[in-house]
Amino acid sequence: MTERTPLLHYRLSASVNESECRAPPAGLAPQQHPVGPRMKSSLQRQQPKKLSVFFGVVIPTLLSMFSVVVFLRIGFMVGHSGLYQAIFMFLLMYFIICMTVLSVCAISTNGALDAGGAYYMISRALGPEFGGSIGIMFFLANVCACALFVLGLVEAIVDTFGVPEGGSLASSPYQVLPSGYWWSLLYGTGVLLLCVLVCMVGAHLYAKATFLIFLVVMFVLGTVFISFFAVGPLTIVLPSSASFNPPVNGTGPSFPTTANFTGFKLDTLLGNLWADYTLDYTTGNMMTFATVFAVMFNGCTGIMAGSNMSGDLKNPSYAIPRGTITAVIFTFIIYNLLSVLVACSCDRVLLQRDYSFLRDINIWNPFVTVGVYSSTLSAAMSNLIGASRILYALARDDLFGKVLSPAKKTSHSGNPWVSVIISWFLVQLVLFSGKLNTIASIVTIFFLLVYAAVDLACLALEWASAPNFRPTFRYFTWHTCVLGIIGCVVMMFLINAIYASASIAFMLLLLLLIHYLSPTSSWGYISQALIFHQVRKYLLMLDVRKDHVKFWRPQVLLMVSNPRSSVGLIRFINDIKKSGLYVLGHVQLGDLDTLPSDPLQSQYDSWLSLVDHLNIKSFVNLTLADSVRHGVQHLLFISGLGGMRPNTLVLGFYDDSLPKDTLIDPSLSICPTSDPAGSLQDFDHDQETPLFHFSSVRGSVDRQDGGEIGDGKVLGPQEYVAIIADAMKMLKNVVLARNFNDFDRSVVLSPSSPVFVDVWPVNLLRPDSSSYVDTCSLFLLQLACILNMVRSWRKARLRLFLCVEEGRSVRGSEEKLGQLLKELRIKAQVLSVPWDQQVALHWQRQGERKQQSDTTNEDKEKIEEEEDDYVNSFPSNATRLSDDYLSAVNKLILDPARPPPAVRFLYLPRPPADTRRYTTYLHQLELLTQDLGPTLLIHGVTPVITTDL
């Protein structure tokens, strides 16, 4: 009676012989993590890098790709699919595998490759998210693979030496072992303990045994080839399970109990050329091209076992490509040669009904059994060692924080014994499930997903066109990477579509988890290189000559002196940008000629941490200049690229209010707020390093609000207004933000109270003008509408104020403005506000000036000169505004009868042409906006709104 081993045992044997982590030497870890000098010297003494191409790559890869499949699955394949389809299957399998081999060779020759195999390559190429998620799946696959091999070995031993269940008579005197679930679990535990002992001693012990196992497997394979020529025709009794399906009601086909090994005969070959798919005698399932291909594909994997030995190779960049390709070619030849020999010498019935026929035709039957046992035990140990090394690498990389920290512990020789124990415990848990039919498929899918990730890593490096991606192995292109990915994914779904979908979903879940929880790594992120490559391409395509007003959006440059006093304004401008460009600008005064180095380079980390802390979508642009005005000019000229350039400058208002520190540093247990004594230098040195290194606002001499300019330097009103004038000359829209120091977005938008946004789209510094449809007025409406479109501001109600004088048609003005809003698709409440008293104050002042008859000629000339200057500053307005008028307008805006708004939008007139009147201009703006709360003074210079479709 021949040895009987169920189909899934062979399938699991094939599916797990990937043995990816083929015993990397103990204690090796990714290079990024420093090892103490004593430990490092110990590792170097005990684990010298001395393995050659043959011992370090060829042997592990051959053992992984052969395993028990070469002895137990060749007949299964030829018996069902025939010789023609079998050869076609091998060509297709190896085409898929070779695409991944090319990617492995490319990555392995692009730099120093440490131990860790697929996990190391993927994590260092694609970043921690992909590396960690694939690493966990790789670890679980190796754990389940080890359990599958242990159970497979136990089942093979019980089939040969176990007492038959159900009282059947033993067919062999060697069947002495008791059988049953608990006995099989006991045998499996014993085999697993043997593997654990080897792993606890160290991977080097298994590495020494690898060559002996290789010799055994090659010797048994040699006896198989010799047997085809040395053994004459035989009649073989088929296993009893081969006729498990008896005829129904005494009728139907009856299956033979014997089959023939005919030796080399043409008739036998002709009978085995074409496919003849039938029921699998071990499971009763109908075989098809897809099922046979999926089972046999498992025997072609294991291609990365050699690359996992990279930490112990003399020259990994030289050994991995040559060794892996050599092993792939050798196994391809052996598989095809065996298929031809089997097709020429064995009846179809023998191939379909006895998968272990090679044992019966061997020159000495136990040879094949020894080969099966040794290869299975080798695979179980290698998977246990591989699982422990992957867990150790994951723990050293700190991708999962303290959860895996115990797995970092190693022995004096560098062996990660805690990782071995954890892996052993998980394998033991899997052993309790007994039969692992479903696990076998998902293990194979996990390994295929790893291979697809390697192809993806190589493809991403190639597409990113990174200058440092220069592999010495050049026999690959992005086409081979894509074919490898497609082949692996197709095989995953061919084996089991449900498990393939579940594994991909599990990987994506792990990817998102690591993305949000893991710390920033120093490995580099391929995503950044790909984004750079694509952004550069699309920026070149973004042609400013094709801009259209329909698709205008605000692209904001917000000037910030000290973020500690600008948090409210920074968050508010982030709401108003409407998916446009948002740049935080900062000017530091200084001269690079007098400085040893650029002082701005060390500040970028703090600014970027600020962006992350405030959860805003913004860029940071810092500049060094001899004055704030020149620095703002620099930023307006150079910020952005191509069509993504700021079109709106936002400044904090220039007034006498003292800045307040509103920035909370989450890295400090006590956060400095408005208490001047809470500055950074007052904290103990043993506390956590602060995220931000911005200067304290305490004692600041700047007379600026939340968005102030400068860094503790005095900025005069003359220079401040000059900055506004400069921006308008550059055709930039200008926004002045006042009273945002205490602006708290969460309080303002609380659901308990209504939210209003007030818009005054008339130039309040021009009482003789009441136009609501000029470019600047429409710009105000557009910004207010954009703010109202933001999700958190959608409940806000826009209030549009129409200033009217007695005698004018109020109804007509409201109707015209309402029609305009309807055409512009802006929903707002129009409120008419009479301002006769305010206008009367203005004209009264002008009458008083004209009645001064005792003025000397010199005074008249001076007044005329000032009037001319004012005319040049404000065309068509030859009058001067009084403080009484401005205060009256301020009270009009601040009418207590109306519910106070969250923010006000006011019209900002152009600065006067005469620079001597800059101070007066600023004083007028200050009176106009005094005590108004959060207010934006806005001046638009370009059309931004249209009524067209």
Side-chain angles (χ1 to χ4, degrees):
M1 184 69 65
T2 59
E3 179 188 6
R4 180 184 61 83
T5 309
L7 167 66
L8 255 297
H9 165 53
Y10 304 145
R11 184 169 183 177
L12 66 87
S13 301
S15 67
V16 198
N17 61 25
E18 286 87 6
S19 315
E20 270 20 77
C21 286
R22 177 66 80 176
L28 290 182
Q31 293 177 343
Q32 276 71 12
H33 300 279
V35 181
R38 184 177 302 174
M39 179 71 72
K40 189 173 181 179
S41 60
S42 174
L43 292 176
Q44 289 174 345
R45 288 195 306 270
Q46 299 198 21
Q47 305 296 337
K49 294 185 177 182
K50 59 182 181 180
L51 292 182
S52 62
V53 177
F54 182 72
F55 288 94
V57 181
V58 176
I59 290 178
T61 306
L62 282 176
L63 288 177
S64 296
M65 296 186 71
F66 273 154
S67 189
V68 297
V69 176
V70 72
F71 303 114
L72 302 175
R73 287 330 252 157
I74 293 297
F76 161 80
M77 182 180 186
V78 176
H80 286 284
S81 62
L83 182 60
Y84 289 154
Q85 288 193 18
I87 294 176
F88 174 74
M89 285 183 185
F90 278 124
L91 291 173
L92 187 58
M93 296 174 200
Y94 273 83
F95 176 77
I96 296 173
I97 287 298
C98 286
M99 297 301 101
T100 303
V101 168
L102 296 179
S103 299
V104 171
C105 295
I107 296 178
S108 64
T109 60
N110 190 51
L113 184 64
D114 207 339
Y119 163 69
Y120 186 86
M121 285 191 286
I122 296 170
S123 61
R124 269 52 178 182
L126 295 182
E129 293 96 342
F130 268 100
S133 56
I134 290 295
I136 287 293
M137 298 182 70
F138 206 11
F139 167 71
L140 295 177
N142 276 274
V143 166
C144 295
C146 179
L148 286 169
F149 272 124
V150 169
L151 288 175
L153 177 58
V154 169
E155 192 168 330
I157 293 174
V158 170
D159 283 341
T160 305
F161 300 103
V163 176
E165 295 187 55
S168 301
L169 296 176
S171 59
S172 169
Y174 302 105
Q175 294 180 317
V176 294
L177 295 178
S179 58
Y181 169 77
W182 292 106
W183 284 107
S184 296
L185 181 62
L186 178 64
Y187 302 150
T189 303
V191 172
L192 182 58
L193 285 176
L194 175 63
C195 298
V196 170
L197 289 177
V198 174
C199 296
M200 291 296 288
V201 173
H204 60 283
L205 180 62
Y206 175 75
K208 293 178 180 179
T210 301
F211 181 61
L212 295 178
I213 296 175
F214 171 76
L215 291 179
V216 171
V217 172
M218 289 298 104
F219 175 77
V220 173
L221 193 59
T223 62
V224 169
F225 278 104
I226 293 174
S227 299
F228 283 106
F229 299 93
V231 177
L234 292 174
T235 299
I236 300 173
V237 179
L238 299 178
S240 58
S241 59
S243 56
F244 70 94
N245 40 0
V248 180
N249 298 327
T251 61
S254 59
F255 296 96
T257 57
T258 61
N260 295 322
F261 170 74
T262 64
F264 294 104
K265 285 188 177 181
L266 181 60
D267 292 341
T268 304
L269 174 62
L270 295 177
N272 289 324
L273 289 180
W274 304 102
D276 182 19
Y277 294 104
T278 184
L279 295 176
D280 171 56
Y281 77 90
T282 61
T283 63
N285 296 328
M286 184 66 186
M287 294 293 100
T288 63
F289 180 92
T291 55
V292 174
F293 183 80
V295 172
M296 284 307 302
F297 183 82
N298 300 323
C300 301
T301 55
I303 55 176
M304 300 182 66
S307 62
N308 291 330
M309 298 295 294
S310 58
D312 207 39
L313 298 174
K314 289 181 180 178
N315 187 351
S317 297
Y318 176 87
I320 291 176
R322 289 163 176 79
T324 305
I325 293 175
T326 300
V328 168
I329 294 175
F330 182 78
T331 55
F332 178 75
I333 294 174
I334 294 297
Y335 277 135
N336 281 277
L337 188 57
L338 273 176
S339 299
V340 173
L341 293 177
V342 165
C344 292
S345 59
C346 300
D347 280 346
R348 178 66 66 101
V349 175
L350 177 63
L351 299 180
Q352 292 179 343
R353 295 284 162 178
D354 186 1
Y355 297 153
S356 57
F357 70 95
L358 288 179
R359 173 193 175 192
D360 296 287
I361 67 172
N362 199 275
I363 53 178
W364 189 53
N365 293 354
F367 275 152
V368 174
T369 303
V370 171
V372 171
Y373 290 178
S374 60
S375 60
T376 308
L377 182 63
S378 168
M381 283 192 293
S382 71
N383 278 279
L384 181 61
I385 291 174
S388 65
R389 293 312 183 269
I390 296 169
L391 182 63
Y392 176 62
L394 286 167
R396 288 293 300 270
D397 286 342
D398 284 325
L399 295 184
F400 296 90
K402 297 181 180 179
V403 177
L404 298 181
S405 57
K408 297 180 184 178
K409 296 183 180 180
T410 61
S411 63
H412 292 294
S413 62
N415 187 37
W417 61 275
V418 176
S419 296
V420 173
I421 292 177
I422 295 175
S423 302
W424 163 78
F425 177 74
L426 294 177
V427 173
Q428 186 65 52
L429 288 180
V430 178
L431 287 179
F432 277 99
S433 63
K435 302 293 183 180
L436 296 179
N437 296 356
T438 57
I439 299 293
S441 298
I442 203 166
V443 166
T444 305
I445 289 171
F446 274 12
F447 281 120
L448 285 173
L449 197 57
V450 172
Y451 296 158
V454 172
D455 286 315
L456 179 63
C458 189
L459 177 65
L461 290 170
E462 179 71 9
W463 274 356
S465 300
N468 282 320
F469 184 58
R470 301 188 295 271
T472 57
F473 182 87
R474 295 302 306 171
Y475 299 101
F476 80 100
T477 65
W478 68 267
H479 304 84
T480 62
C481 301
V482 170
L483 289 174
I485 295 173
I486 294 174
C488 292
V489 172
V490 168
M491 276 306 308
M492 288 168 54
F493 284 91
L494 192 64
I495 292 172
N496 193 309
I498 296 177
Y499 292 158
S501 302
S503 63
I504 293 174
F506 180 56
M507 184 196 72
L508 294 177
L509 181 64
L510 287 173
L511 189 148
L512 293 175
L513 179 68
I514 299 174
H515 175 74
Y516 287 106
L517 298 182
S518 69
T520 303
S521 73
S522 59
W523 309 336
Y525 294 82
I526 189 63
S527 59
Q528 297 302 301
L530 289 172
I531 290 171
F532 178 89
H533 186 267
Q534 292 302 110
V535 167
R536 180 192 64 85
K537 180 172 68 174
Y538 287 119
L539 275 176
L540 292 173
M541 296 170 62
L542 191 60
D543 192 344
V544 295
R545 296 169 295 182
K546 298 179 181 179
D547 284 346
H548 194 279
V549 65
K550 289 192 299 184
F551 306 110
W552 179 90
R553 67 182 71 233
Q555 304 197 81
V556 181
L557 171 62
L558 170 62
M559 298 305 303
V560 181
S561 171
N562 193 334
R564 295 193 175 279
S565 58
S566 309
V567 173
L569 180 58
I570 292 173
R571 283 179 169 152
F572 178 78
I573 298 300
N574 184 66
D575 285 339
I576 212 171
K577 69 180 187 303
K578 185 57 179 174
S579 303
L581 179 68
Y582 184 23
V583 181
L584 297 181
H586 173 73
V587 178
Q588 179 164 330
L589 299 184
D591 187 357
L592 196 59
D593 290 339
T594 62
L595 297 173
S597 61
D598 182 5
L600 301 178
Q601 297 304 316
S602 60
Q603 299 181 21
Y604 273 99
D605 284 344
S606 292
W607 284 87
L608 295 176
S609 298
L610 172 73
V611 170
D612 295 336
H613 172 62
L614 298 181
N615 193 25
I616 62 175
K617 297 178 180 180
S618 171
F619 298 96
V620 174
N621 210 346
L622 311 180
T623 188
L624 187 70
D626 57 353
S627 70
V628 176
R629 181 182 180 185
H630 289 163
V632 177
Q633 289 177 1
H634 294 168
L635 294 178
L636 287 175
F637 277 127
I638 67 174
S639 293
L641 286 173
M644 295 191 67
R645 304 180 66 87
N647 55 32
T648 304
L649 174 67
V650 181
L651 305 172
F653 197 76
Y654 191 97
D655 58 16
D656 293 322
S657 63
L658 292 176
K660 297 179 182 179
D661 192 341
T662 56
L663 179 61
I664 299 175
D665 194 334
S667 64
L668 299 176
S669 58
I670 302 176
C671 302
T673 55
S674 59
D675 183 11
S679 57
L680 293 178
Q681 57 265 31
D682 296 333
F683 285 87
D684 296 334
H685 294 291
D686 58 348
Q687 290 186 346
E688 189 176 354
T689 304
L691 289 176
F692 318 117
H693 297 277
F694 304 120
S695 60
S696 173
V697 300
R698 177 168 57 93
S700 174
V701 296
D702 280 2
R703 297 166 51 209
Q704 305 165 48
D705 192 32
E708 70 255 75
I709 314 168
D711 187 13
K713 305 297 182 182
V714 176
L715 174 66
Q718 197 79 8
E719 186 178 5
Y720 178 80
V721 180
I723 293 172
I724 300 174
D726 291 342
M728 293 182 184
K729 291 177 185 177
M730 298 179 190
L731 296 181
K732 305 295 184 184
N733 310 299
V734 178
V735 178
L736 306 184
R738 187 174 190 188
N739 300 323
F740 277 87
N741 205 350
D742 297 323
F743 182 81
D744 191 336
R745 183 172 176 271
S746 59
V747 174
V748 170
L749 298 177
S750 61
S752 59
S753 58
V755 180
F756 297 97
V757 176
D758 288 359
V759 182
W760 295 76
V762 65
N763 187 354
L764 297 174
L765 299 188
R766 291 277 303 275
D768 60 338
S769 173
S770 58
S771 173
Y772 288 86
V773 291
D774 64 358
T775 299
C776 187
S777 298
L778 295 178
F779 188 82
L780 262 75
L781 291 174
Q782 180 78 321
L783 285 189
C785 180
I786 287 173
L787 180 65
N788 197 209
M789 293 169 67
V790 178
R791 177 178 299 178
S792 54
W793 286 85
R794 283 177 185 169
K795 73 169 189 173
R797 290 155 55 184
L798 297 185
R799 297 189 302 194
L800 189 61
F801 291 90
L802 179 63
C803 297
V804 297
E805 297 182 49
E806 186 179 357
R808 295 192 177 184
S809 176
V810 177
R811 183 183 299 270
S813 300
E814 287 186 358
E815 289 179 355
K816 290 181 180 179
L817 192 56
Q819 181 63 28
L820 174 64
L821 293 177
K822 184 177 180 180
E823 292 178 356
L824 297 177
R825 292 92 60 203
I826 297 177
K827 185 178 180 181
Q829 179 185 7
V830 179
L831 299 176
S832 298
V833 179
W835 67 331
D836 297 80
Q837 297 179 359
Q838 290 76 17
V839 175
L841 283 174
H842 168 68
W843 292 116
Q844 180 182 354
R845 172 65 182 272
Q846 308 312 314
E848 291 175 355
R849 291 178 56 83
K850 292 180 180 179
Q851 292 175 4
Q852 295 178 353
S853 58
D854 55 346
T855 306
T856 61
N857 293 335
E858 182 179 351
D859 292 337
K860 289 181 180 180
E861 292 177 0
K862 184 176 182 180
I863 290 174
E864 290 176 358
E865 181 181 350
E866 291 177 353
E867 294 287 356
D868 292 340
D869 293 338
Y870 201 77
V871 169
N872 292 332
S873 303
F874 297 96
S876 76
N877 186 5
T879 59
R880 196 185 288 263
L881 298 175
S882 66
D883 290 353
D884 293 338
Y885 164 76
L886 293 170
S887 298
V889 173
N890 175 262
K891 291 180 181 179
L892 175 68
I893 299 173
L894 200 59
D895 186 359
R898 294 188 297 268
V903 63
R904 289 181 172 90
F905 288 68
L906 301 184
Y907 191 115
L908 174 67
R910 281 182 174 271
D914 186 0
T915 58
R916 292 173 296 178
R917 300 198 54 81
Y918 279 179
T919 305
T920 304
Y921 170 79
L922 188 58
H923 175 68
Q924 293 170 349
L925 296 180
E926 185 173 2
L927 288 177
L928 180 66
T929 58
Q930 188 172 9
D931 300 326
L932 289 186
T935 303
L936 296 182
L937 288 161
I938 303 170
H939 185 88
V941 296
T942 54
V944 296
I945 201 166
T946 180
T947 59
D948 296 335
L949 181 62

